[in-house]
Amino acid sequence: MSGSTALARFAAFARSVAGPDAVIDDPRERQAYSCDGLTSHRATPGLVFVPSSRDELIVGVREIIRLGLPFVARGAGTGLSGGALPETDGVLVVLARLTRVLEIDPISRVAVVEPGVVNLDLSAAVAGEGLLFAPDPSSQIACTIGGNIAENSGGAHCFKYGFTTNHVLGLELIDPTGELVFVGGQSLESPGPDVRGLIIGSEGTLGIATTIVCRLINQPSLRRTLVAYFDDAVQAGDAVSEIVGAGLVPAAIEMMDRPALVACEAATHAGLELDWGAALLVELDGPAEEVDEGFVAVREALAAAGARSVWVATTEAERERMWRARKAAFAAAGRVAPAYIVQDGVIPRTSLPRVLAAIGDLARESGLEILNVFHAGDGNLHPLVTYDPSVPGEEARAEEVAAAILSLCLAEGGSLTGEHGIGVDKVCKMPEMFSATDLSVFARVRTALDPRGLANPGKLLPTPRLCGEQAGRYRPHPLEEAGVATRW
Amino acid sequence: MSGSTALARFAAFARSVAGPDAVIDDPRERQAYSCDGLTSHRATPGLVFVPSSRDELIVGVREIIRLGLPFVARGAGTGLSGGALPETDGVLVVLARLTRVLEIDPISRVAVVEPGVVNLDLSAAVAGEGLLFAPDPSSQIACTIGGNIAENSGGAHCFKYGFTTNHVLGLELIDPTGELVFVGGQSLESPGPDVRGLIIGSEGTLGIATTIVCRLINQPSLRRTLVAYFDDAVQAGDAVSEIVGAGLVPAAIEMMDRPALVACEAATHAGLELDWGAALLVELDGPAEEVDEGFVAVREALAAAGARSVWVATTEAERERMWRARKAAFAAAGRVAPAYIVQDGVIPRTSLPRVLAAIGDLARESGLEILNVFHAGDGNLHPLVTYDPSVPGEEARAEEVAAAILSLCLAEGGSLTGEHGIGVDKVCKMPEMFSATDLSVFARVRTALDPRGLANPGKLLPTPRLCGEQAGRYRPHPLEEAGVATRW
């Protein structure tokens, strides 16, 4: 059967089981789904399937698999690495209508949700019980929990609370062979290999979550927040080491360099001081006495590292202004230049001053302004490389600079991505971080769960087709290719 | 090549690369390794290999694999589910000499260790920096970190601190095809599927860790501990729900029923009161003010649930007496009867009173005394079913009772094991907890990483050979058997 015949058959099937609204095949409407937050990569999906219930999802995905069509899951499309880039000859499975919170259990502190539930909506649904869902990506007003699982999303507060994998206890998955599997449970301890952990962060390559068990945590009774200013980024980096080394665990430690300070203040008029080399936003949360005690210790650590000025939020409104300024960084970059590339990399905390200095050199050499905002607690950089696409060659230069920043991260023993994922954006860079054998393990696991390669093909793992010679460095192990029988 | 020829070849190879001490082939000496803490299952290993360095380990395991010999890794042999039960026609790889702490980084709060490092020795090595390694199985004075990884070990304090998977950031693995793979990194966030989490808890079936990056946490500045007494286990269960529901996170909540109280006190003379139906040992730790505040709230929750008497430790010596009494439960069982079976299951916290009542019924019906000790915070039961092997039929009855307790756990939506693992002990019970498709996912992943089935065969996953019809419920997916090529 040709690809277009299979797509037409699936469209007819999906309409019959899920109604006419469940299928989008008009070319212009399909084009609206041609990219996620990574707008540099686009592909019009062969067909869009929008189920309204778990059952429609399961029946539909099984038919997609039976027909041998590739499929890509999409939540809100806020991802920044092209993880939801569609296949032109496949089906884009949009989960945006699966928005039900099925169960809230305040005693066991779990909620059971559908994959299309918006991150912030879950916290809103459990706020009356004094609870919240901890992962807080900056897109949390729009992004879905299914998407958080695909990307193992973090956020400003993951230094203290961890990533999505620490807050999703179990899930029902329709795997790439069409089987329904339940992984994990109602607690983080389950016998045998942690397949739950394998699914979370696999970027839609191992199946689609249909039902999700989320862990909820207590809302903190108190939050205290400050902004501290330093002469330079080296001192700010020292302050982060002082704080962490003293055993303090702030809910967030965010860093902005001077260009970011200037741009964020211009965008929000929050009241940031501008005559400094770098600033840290530090927030503590938890029981009141613990927070008050910790806040004193944080201020001591900041002073010891050379903080020259400290702005302490005395009201909730002031705290919100601080966060608005920090979170405006992306919008603020748009005021500096018509376009920008946001990079996402991780470095060991101790490398922070050295990497910031090197990024400064790159900015000077390239003539491009770079704003640095950081989840400094876990060493997760988000440099914004600004450029003007109307200036010939500037976009290419920006891409070179962004790539060079990533190479800096890897040279320091860091990571290709902190929270934006690999997707299509960094798939050909995987061999720079992982050895051939490391990648072979990923590939063997993926093949085991998706023998036909239907689930989000072209994402996460490099292939010769995508990446040329580079990807040729890893191959299935000879023993695997030989298909030697198992003895257990 | 016959199995014995291959063993002889490996012995010669291992002696030549690692010296004569690295091989144990004398039959009587080999017999000393015939079981781990699960003494009911025994098998004399075909050969014992005891490398003294990472290089010897890697070279040796590669040769074992090249020769097609099955192999089983063993740390200190303290496991309770037979995970280190040897293969009579294979090699037991003993890691007890790989005891070096290679690096301690107090700023990044990580330590790099060899797999044979004893759990408590790591905490001792970093104590001077004010740090500790959190997982604290009751065998921590002897068990190794490699073994903790195999079993994803917890301990009395895992309610607050989590399991080994939360404290091992990365590891170098020699996989069952002989490849060296590095999984995870220096932080808990790494791109792609969490293969690290897949390895931890896989009971030696996916390879042998050669080098381990451990996360260290701060030693708490204060610990406060009490024992609260209740008329019955239902009230004690209510108290656990009160404490957890109030958002308190004690470092430990341990429960003992009346038979356990009596036996532990007789064994230790710690000063426990005996005229109560059940007792809770509750410990808080952390910054001083947080602990003091929390302690008040815990006492209020205990009172609300009907605690009739409370013993608060006022000195460190008193606190140690409380813990000595609790930790003596296994030894104390030996005073009640000549033998006992220790069961390990998990139930939802809310099922605690119902399950305890049912265990009481089983004790009455069988005429066997059952001591109940519990990690109550995470619903992890450790009933000790005592019996006299000299009374005909009593051992079989004890085994039936232990199995019935596990069925109770599963009926409540709980788990086959909290921390002792599946091993050989519970391998045929896996289909009672996991569906055929769930087990198929485990099996497909295992086959992907160990195509020849050499690593710890017969453990963790049921097979027709081990379990008869029962295991026939799951099979590789037809698509997998067909070996259809992947497209990505």
Side-chain angles (χ1 to χ4, degrees):
Chain A
M1 184 174 5
S2 77
S4 58
T5 309
L7 282 173
R9 284 209 192 171
F10 176 69
F13 174 86
R15 283 199 182 91
S16 73
V17 297
D21 280 2
V23 174
I24 298 172
D25 57 1
D26 175 78
R28 257 180 324 175
E29 287 182 60
R30 278 188 277 133
Q31 216 177 342
Y33 294 91
S34 64
C35 70
D36 59 13
L38 183 79
T39 53
S40 57
H41 289 64
R42 291 175 188 272
T44 304
L47 199 75
V48 181
F49 173 49
V50 196
S52 296
S53 70
R54 168 181 169 276
D55 286 353
E56 289 177 10
L57 170 64
I58 292 168
V59 169
V61 171
R62 284 188 168 154
E63 182 67 7
I64 291 169
I65 292 166
R66 203 186 63 77
L67 291 165
L69 289 164
F71 61 94
V72 176
R74 178 186 165 110
T78 54
L80 293 167
S81 56
L85 182 75
E87 289 286 299
T88 52
D89 60 349
V91 182
L92 186 72
V93 181
V94 174
L95 301 162
R97 288 183 190 153
L98 298 181
T99 57
R100 286 183 307 163
V101 176
L102 303 167
E103 191 187 329
I104 296 170
D105 178 346
I107 298 296
S108 300
R109 299 201 294 172
V110 298
V112 182
V113 306
E114 293 185 334
V117 169
V118 167
N119 175 298
L120 208 55
D121 288 354
L122 174 56
S123 285
V126 300
E129 307 283 353
L131 299 171
L132 64 82
F133 180 62
D136 63 336
S138 50
S139 57
Q140 70 180 138
I141 194 167
C143 67
T144 65
I145 292 173
N148 297 163
I149 288 174
E151 303 295 332
N152 190 21
S153 303
H157 291 80
C158 62
F159 175 61
K160 177 170 180 178
Y161 293 110
F163 294 84
T164 299
T165 192
N166 306 112
H167 299 278
V168 167
L169 302 174
L171 53 92
E172 185 190 66
L173 182 85
I174 179 154
D175 85 4
T177 69
E179 297 281 7
L180 270 190
V181 179
F182 195 88
V183 297
Q186 296 265 329
S187 85
L188 282 173
E189 169 72 344
S190 184
D194 183 13
V195 177
R196 179 203 61 81
L198 190 73
I199 303 301
I200 297 172
S202 62
E203 303 193 359
T205 63
L206 303 181
I208 299 179
T210 60
T211 313
I212 300 154
V213 183
C214 297
R215 184 162 82 102
L216 305 171
I217 64 169
N218 294 306
Q219 290 169 2
S221 52
L222 182 66
R223 290 190 177 97
R224 295 203 64 184
T225 313
L226 60 75
V227 175
Y229 301 95
F230 297 84
D231 283 334
D232 55 47
V234 176
Q235 286 187 349
D238 288 346
V240 175
S241 292
E242 283 272 347
I243 290 169
V244 175
L248 297 160
V249 186
I253 313 180
E254 301 283 301
M255 185 163 163
M256 291 177 274
D257 69 356
R258 188 194 186 95
L261 271 177
V262 171
C264 289
E265 179 60 20
T268 62
H269 305 289
L272 293 175
E273 298 177 23
L274 303 180
D275 292 335
W276 303 103
L280 290 181
L281 185 161
V282 184
E283 180 162 289
L284 296 184
D285 71 7
E289 291 190 30
E290 177 188 342
V291 171
D292 285 333
E293 190 187 2
F295 210 65
V296 172
V298 164
R299 296 195 61 172
E300 284 168 6
L302 292 168
R308 294 278 300 277
S309 174
V310 176
W311 172 25
V312 176
T314 53
T315 63
E316 180 59 21
E318 227 174 331
R319 175 182 166 270
E320 280 171 11
R321 249 162 55 211
M322 290 175 174
W323 273 111
R324 201 167 62 239
R326 158 63 186 86
K327 291 193 171 176
F330 287 18
R335 302 169 62 97
V336 173
Y340 63 90
I341 295 170
V342 53
Q343 190 48 286
D344 169 48
V346 179
I347 52 172
R349 274 194 298 269
T350 42
S351 308
L352 208 146
R354 190 164 49 239
V355 170
L356 277 182
I359 293 177
D361 291 344
L362 283 170
R364 265 186 304 280
E365 289 160 16
S366 65
L368 301 175
E369 183 152 21
I370 304 177
L371 282 55
N372 280 294
V373 292
F374 254 87
H375 304 313
D378 26 57
N380 187 188
L381 280 77
H382 290 307
L384 301 163
V385 183
T386 66
Y387 67 94
D388 184 345
S390 70
V391 177
E394 200 161 298
E395 180 163 6
R397 204 151 75 238
E399 274 165 14
E400 277 164 33
V401 168
I405 293 173
L406 216 51
S407 299
L408 280 174
C409 293
L410 294 175
E412 295 286 332
S415 167
L416 278 177
T417 170
E419 50 192 24
H420 297 176
I422 299 297
V424 288
D425 191 31
K426 295 178 178 175
V427 66
C428 296
K429 292 209 166 261
M430 288 287 273
E432 292 181 34
M433 178 166 177
F434 294 101
S435 75
T437 48
D438 293 350
L439 288 173
S440 157
V441 168
F442 286 162
R444 283 148 68 190
V445 170
R446 183 167 173 176
T447 304
L449 297 184
D450 185 10
R452 292 202 287 174
L454 297 178
N456 217 5
K459 315 292 165 62
L460 195 55
L461 288 183
T463 63
R465 179 169 67 85
L466 292 167
C467 310
E469 263 312 288
Q470 181 88 308
R473 286 174 52 198
Y474 87 95
R475 314 199 154 279
H477 192 275
L479 291 175
E480 179 195 0
E481 291 185 311
V484 183
T486 61
R487 42 174 287 154
W488 44 268
Chain B
M1 183 172 12
S2 78
S4 57
T5 309
L7 282 173
R9 285 209 192 170
F10 176 68
F13 174 85
R15 282 199 183 92
S16 74
V17 297
D21 281 2
V23 174
I24 298 172
D25 57 0
D26 175 78
R28 259 180 323 176
E29 286 182 59
R30 277 189 277 131
Q31 216 179 342
Y33 293 93
S34 65
C35 70
D36 59 13
L38 184 77
T39 53
S40 57
H41 289 62
R42 290 176 188 273
T44 304
L47 199 75
V48 180
F49 173 49
V50 195
S52 295
S53 70
R54 167 180 169 277
D55 287 352
E56 289 178 9
L57 170 64
I58 292 168
V59 169
V61 171
R62 284 187 167 155
E63 182 66 8
I64 291 169
I65 292 165
R66 202 185 65 77
L67 292 165
L69 289 165
F71 60 94
V72 177
R74 177 186 167 110
T78 55
L80 292 167
S81 56
L85 183 74
E87 290 286 298
T88 52
D89 59 350
V91 181
L92 186 71
V93 181
V94 174
L95 302 162
R97 289 183 190 153
L98 297 180
T99 57
R100 286 184 306 164
V101 176
L102 302 167
E103 191 186 328
I104 295 170
D105 178 346
I107 299 296
S108 300
R109 300 199 295 172
V110 297
V112 182
V113 304
E114 292 185 333
V117 169
V118 168
N119 176 295
L120 208 54
D121 288 354
L122 175 55
S123 285
V126 300
E129 306 284 354
L131 299 170
L132 63 83
F133 180 62
D136 63 337
S138 50
S139 57
Q140 71 181 139
I141 195 167
C143 66
T144 64
I145 291 172
N148 297 164
I149 287 174
E151 303 295 331
N152 190 19
S153 302
H157 292 80
C158 62
F159 175 62
K160 177 169 180 178
Y161 293 109
F163 295 84
T164 300
T165 192
N166 305 113
H167 299 277
V168 167
L169 302 174
L171 52 92
E172 184 190 66
L173 183 83
I174 178 153
D175 85 3
T177 69
E179 296 282 7
L180 270 190
V181 179
F182 196 88
V183 297
Q186 295 265 329
S187 84
L188 281 172
E189 170 72 344
S190 184
D194 183 12
V195 177
R196 180 202 61 82
L198 191 72
I199 303 301
I200 297 172
S202 62
E203 304 194 358
T205 63
L206 304 180
I208 298 179
T210 60
T211 311
I212 300 155
V213 183
C214 297
R215 184 163 81 102
L216 304 171
I217 64 168
N218 294 307
Q219 290 170 2
S221 53
L222 182 64
R223 291 189 176 98
R224 296 204 63 186
T225 313
L226 60 76
V227 175
Y229 300 95
F230 297 85
D231 284 335
D232 55 47
V234 176
Q235 286 186 348
D238 289 345
V240 174
S241 292
E242 284 272 347
I243 290 169
V244 176
L248 297 160
V249 185
I253 314 180
E254 300 283 300
M255 186 163 163
M256 292 176 274
D257 69 355
R258 188 193 186 95
L261 270 177
V262 171
C264 289
E265 179 59 20
T268 61
H269 306 288
L272 295 174
E273 298 177 25
L274 303 180
D275 293 335
W276 304 104
L280 290 180
L281 185 161
V282 184
E283 180 162 290
L284 296 183
D285 71 9
E289 291 189 30
E290 175 188 345
V291 171
D292 286 332
E293 191 187 3
F295 210 66
V296 172
V298 163
R299 297 195 60 171
E300 284 168 5
L302 292 169
R308 294 280 298 279
S309 175
V310 176
W311 172 26
V312 177
T314 53
T315 63
E316 179 59 21
E318 229 174 329
R319 175 182 167 269
E320 280 172 10
R321 250 160 57 211
M322 291 175 174
W323 274 112
R324 202 168 60 240
R326 158 64 187 86
K327 292 193 170 175
F330 287 17
R335 302 168 61 99
V336 173
Y340 63 90
I341 296 170
V342 52
Q343 190 47 287
D344 169 48
V346 179
I347 53 173
R349 274 193 298 269
T350 42
S351 308
L352 208 147
R354 190 163 51 240
V355 170
L356 277 183
I359 293 176
D361 292 343
L362 284 170
R364 266 186 302 281
E365 288 160 17
S366 65
L368 300 176
E369 183 151 21
I370 304 177
L371 282 56
N372 280 295
V373 291
F374 254 86
H375 304 313
D378 26 57
N380 187 189
L381 280 75
H382 290 307
L384 302 163
V385 183
T386 65
Y387 66 95
D388 183 345
S390 69
V391 177
E394 202 162 294
E395 180 163 4
R397 204 151 76 238
E399 275 167 14
E400 278 164 32
V401 168
I405 292 173
L406 216 53
S407 299
L408 278 173
C409 294
L410 293 175
E412 296 285 334
S415 166
L416 278 178
T417 171
E419 50 191 23
H420 297 174
I422 299 297
V424 289
D425 191 32
K426 294 178 177 173
V427 65
C428 296
K429 291 207 166 264
M430 289 288 273
E432 293 180 34
M433 177 165 178
F434 294 101
S435 75
T437 47
D438 293 349
L439 288 173
S440 157
V441 168
F442 285 162
R444 284 148 66 191
V445 170
R446 185 167 172 176
T447 304
L449 297 185
D450 185 9
R452 292 201 287 172
L454 297 179
N456 218 4
K459 315 293 165 59
L460 197 54
L461 288 182
T463 63
R465 178 169 68 84
L466 292 168
C467 310
E469 261 313 288
Q470 180 87 309
R473 285 174 52 198
Y474 87 94
R475 315 198 154 281
H477 192 275
L479 291 175
E480 179 195 359
E481 290 184 312
V484 183
T486 61
R487 43 174 286 153
W488 45 269

